[in-house]
Structure formats: C-alpha cells, structure tokens
Amino acid sequence: MSDDGHQSTGSENVPSRQRKRFPGISSRAYEHPADRSALVALRKLSGFDTVFKALSGLLPERSLRLLFLSDSVRVSDQQFTHLNDMLRDACYILDLEKVPPMYVNQDPQPNAMCIGLDEPIIVVTTGLVELLDEEEMRAVIGHEVGHALSGHAVYRTILLFLTNLAIRVAWIPLGNLAIMAIVTALREWFRKSELSADRAGLLVGQDLRASMRGLMKLAGGNHLHEMNVDAFLQQAEEYEAGGDLRDSVLKILNVLPRTHPFATVRAAELKKWAESREYQRILDGHYPRREEDKDTSVSDSFRESAAHYTTSVKNSKDPLMKLVTDIAGGAGGIGGRVRRGFDGFTSSPSADDRANGSDDSPRNGDGPTDTPPRDEN
C-alpha cells in the first residue's frame, strides 16, 4: 500500500507495507549521468520530436502493436490482475499520468522491454513472470515504467529497427558498417539507460534485496537456496578488479554486442546508488520536478556526466582504468606495465621479459574464450 492509501497487491509471504510516492518527479532524479546528459541534449534539439514522428512512418511500430495485441495476453483487470495492480501502482508512485498497456508474451527466455514512438508499451515474457516473486516483479515493472517516464522507449524502438536493418543489409559492406556504427553507439547509451531504469525500479519497489534477488535470478535462475546476494556482489568486485590489461580489453569486447550491462555489474551499481545520499534525498522528497525540465542546462548535464566518468575512472580497480589514471598522473614505468599486460596475447615472452626472467605467456587452457555471454533483461 502506498503512503496515502493507494492499495497495492500483497501475497501471503510478503507483508503489506507503505511505499513513498513521488509526485511530479522528473526522470532526471534517477537517471545515470551518461544517460541523463544524452537525453537532455536530444530533448533540447530543435525539431527533435518532429523528426522522430516522421520516422514513425518508417518504423514497424504499428506492426508490433498489432502483433502483441493478436498473439499475446494484455494485462488488465480480467487478465494477469496481479501484474495489472503492480503496473498501476508503479505508475502511481512515479506519477506517470497515463498507464501504458502491458502484454505477457509466451517466451521461456526471461525478458521485458518498453518500446514505442508515440506511446510506450511494456512487454514481459512468461519466462520472467514464472521466474520472479511478487516483490522482484514489482521492481522489474518499475524498471519498465522508468523507461517510459524517461522516454527510452523511443530509442529502444529505433535500436530494434536498426539492428534488424543491419541484418538485412549485411551483404552490403559499407551500408552494414555505417548502420552497425550507429547501433554500437546506441547500445552503449542503452546500457547506461538500463542502469537508470534499475534505479526507477528501486524507487517503485523500495526493497533493495528484492531488486538484488531479481538480478541474481536473471544470472543463475530460480535457485535462491543455492545463491547468496553478498557472494553475488563479490563477483562484481572480482570482475572489476581481477586480471590484467588483457582481461580489461576482453571485458570491452564481451560487452559491445550487448544492450544490457552484466547482471553482477547492474547489482553492484544499484547497491552503490541505494547507499548514496542522492537516493536518500529522493526518499525524503527532495528531487527534481518535471516542471523544471525545460530549464535544464545541457552544459551542466554534460559537466555532471564528465565528472562522473572522471570519478569512476579514478576510483576504478580495473587494470586498464588504473593505467589511464597513472598516465594522467604522469606515473613512471608505464611502458613496461603495458608490455607485460599484453604479453599474454602473444605466444612467447618479449626479449626484455626474458632478460628479467619473467614469462607471463599463457599456458594451455589459459587463453581467453571468444564465446559471447547471453544478453538478458
């Protein structure tokens, strides 16, 4: 139940509890700095809305709407009523005036998305509905409502369209390269937008452990008795800090084809934000309002984004990021560290390393794998 009596669905093993509501909240309150600066810049572009409305005639949005209407189950007071209650409650908490239509699609792969140019629609798969408990599902629905409030549905639709187009024109070398360059840039932005939406999901559910469990289930399935949230977060720390420069490069290559960050990374990022003063201020009622969006400065948003990246690089434990920090600080011995960091990509040690008695070349079975990880919600 929300703080002023709005009824939310409960279950036998999850006690009813009050949730704070955020009247007039701007999506800027929870957006990741990189996501926020890109959105503010796009919204400030003259004729931006006109261009994308013109594009709507080329994009298959109407076809997608008809497809889900004809071959999925629409959430309502008569169908999937518990999901409908959670959707209405999420829109109520984030003060989204128009509740977007939501569909359940038969697909064993756990997934959810928010798409649409004119009006967003939310789609969740049966695999996701069957995987998550009520509080975990509430966070996911809040995540998708956060996408709708931020306007991410527009760019997600364009990303889907361009990805499909790249497949169709793959036989045209230059055309495919041009489209894939745009797709790669959109994916990088969209990965940041997922971190924003995770925060929106936490604002709706207001249960960090439930959000953590949901991300953990996306990685390891419905085996909570075999998993531990703290150990899962330790994986994220090991992922960031472990290895050498070779691993740093492989991390970049692994994430490039994905639209979502890795589950452990999302969990660590969300926990960090939940423990920040920024999150507590929102809960206390101090947050940007939508009525102030028109006065938002693009330059200020870019400065915030730049400051965030500077701090992230400075505090990162990743070997490549530490090298970047050392270079910026003028640290000595950089050349040797770079050479040693990449020696594993060659079959034999360098002459300098042989002279120093060092051999960091990989043994059998130690080389990197080129199998890409599964992309999940």
Side-chain angles (χ1 to χ4, degrees):
M1 180 177 290
S2 300
D3 60 349
D4 54 357
H6 182 76
Q7 183 67 41
S8 61
T9 304
S11 63
E12 293 181 1
N13 62 344
V14 179
S16 297
R17 59 187 178 83
Q18 291 186 336
R19 292 180 176 83
K20 295 181 183 293
R21 183 175 179 250
F22 310 104
I25 189 172
S26 168
S27 59
R28 292 181 292 114
Y30 58 80
E31 284 165 353
H32 186 278
D35 174 28
R36 186 190 309 139
S37 61
L39 288 177
V40 169
L42 286 172
R43 289 164 183 160
K44 290 286 185 178
L45 286 178
S46 177
F48 173 76
D49 291 338
T50 303
V51 171
F52 277 96
K53 284 182 180 179
L55 273 177
S56 66
L58 301 176
L59 300 178
E61 180 181 7
R62 294 179 68 87
S63 175
L64 285 173
R65 290 180 182 275
L66 289 172
L67 178 63
F68 290 123
L69 184 63
S70 62
D71 206 32
S72 301
V73 176
R74 183 164 58 191
V75 172
S76 67
D77 290 331
Q78 293 80 38
Q79 302 185 116
F80 288 100
T81 55
H82 71 294
L83 296 181
N84 189 55
D85 288 341
M86 282 189 269
L87 174 63
R88 292 171 62 87
D89 197 52
C91 293
Y92 179 77
I93 289 173
L94 293 181
D95 200 16
L96 187 64
E97 184 175 349
K98 187 172 183 179
V99 178
M102 183 163 76
Y103 295 89
V104 176
N105 180 249
Q106 170 60 31
D107 186 344
Q109 178 76 17
N111 202 2
M113 61 180 174
C114 181
I115 58 174
L117 292 176
D118 295 325
E119 294 181 0
I121 61 173
I122 295 172
V123 181
V124 297
T125 65
T126 51
L128 188 69
V129 174
E130 293 164 5
L131 177 66
L132 304 182
D133 68 25
E134 183 171 336
E135 291 299 288
E136 296 157 7
M137 194 68 197
R138 188 185 302 279
V140 168
I141 291 177
H143 173 111
E144 300 305 327
V145 170
H147 276 315
L149 183 59
S150 288
H152 292 156
V154 172
Y155 316 111
R156 178 59 182 267
T157 306
I158 294 171
L159 178 58
L160 289 172
F161 172 73
L162 290 177
T163 302
N164 291 333
L165 182 61
I167 295 173
R168 293 179 183 178
V169 300
W171 60 277
I172 307 176
L174 294 180
N176 183 51
L177 286 175
I179 294 173
M180 287 310 299
I182 299 173
V183 168
T184 300
L186 277 172
R187 280 176 177 162
E188 169 59 20
W189 161 76
F190 202 81
R191 286 191 289 270
K192 298 300 186 292
S193 76
E194 288 300 312
L195 300 179
S196 298
D198 284 343
R199 297 175 177 184
L202 179 59
L203 288 175
V204 167
Q206 296 170 33
D207 184 344
L208 179 61
R209 301 296 287 190
S211 294
M212 295 289 105
R213 290 198 311 269
L215 290 169
M216 193 164 58
K217 283 184 176 180
L218 287 174
N222 192 15
H223 304 280
L224 280 180
H225 63 288
E226 298 283 355
M227 296 185 285
N228 179 277
V229 170
D230 294 329
F232 188 64
L233 290 169
Q234 287 175 5
Q235 288 182 225
E237 185 173 345
E238 182 179 342
Y239 172 78
E240 181 186 3
D244 52 23
L245 293 179
R246 292 168 295 174
D247 298 291
S248 297
V249 173
L250 291 173
K251 292 175 191 177
I252 296 172
L253 295 177
N254 282 342
V255 81
L256 278 179
R258 297 174 60 93
T259 57
H260 291 62
F262 295 116
T264 57
V265 174
R266 291 172 65 181
E269 285 281 342
L270 186 60
K271 184 174 185 292
K272 187 188 304 181
W273 188 70
E275 295 172 347
S276 70
R277 178 59 183 158
E278 182 182 356
Y279 175 65
Q280 188 57 53
R281 282 181 57 81
I282 295 174
L283 292 181
D284 292 340
H286 305 294
Y287 51 80
R289 261 64 174 182
R290 267 168 250 169
E291 61 191 28
E292 304 163 353
D293 285 350
K294 62 182 183 299
D295 301 320
T296 304
S297 168
V298 176
S299 57
D300 287 347
S301 297
F302 277 119
R303 276 195 292 269
E304 290 177 11
S305 179
H308 169 81
Y309 275 115
T310 300
T311 302
S312 297
V313 170
K314 183 177 180 180
N315 296 332
S316 176
K317 299 177 182 177
D318 180 84
L320 181 58
M321 294 300 101
K322 290 174 69 176
L323 179 64
V324 171
T325 302
D326 289 345
I327 292 174
I334 297 294
R337 288 173 55 190
V338 173
R339 185 172 60 252
R340 288 192 297 273
F342 286 103
D343 272 345
F345 283 116
T346 64
S347 58
S348 61
S350 66
D352 289 344
D353 285 334
R354 286 196 299 270
N356 294 329
S358 170
D359 184 358
D360 290 333
S361 58
R363 274 73 175 175
N364 292 336
D366 291 341
T369 175
D370 60 358
T371 303
R374 182 182 61 184
D375 198 1
E376 298 165 331
N377 173 61

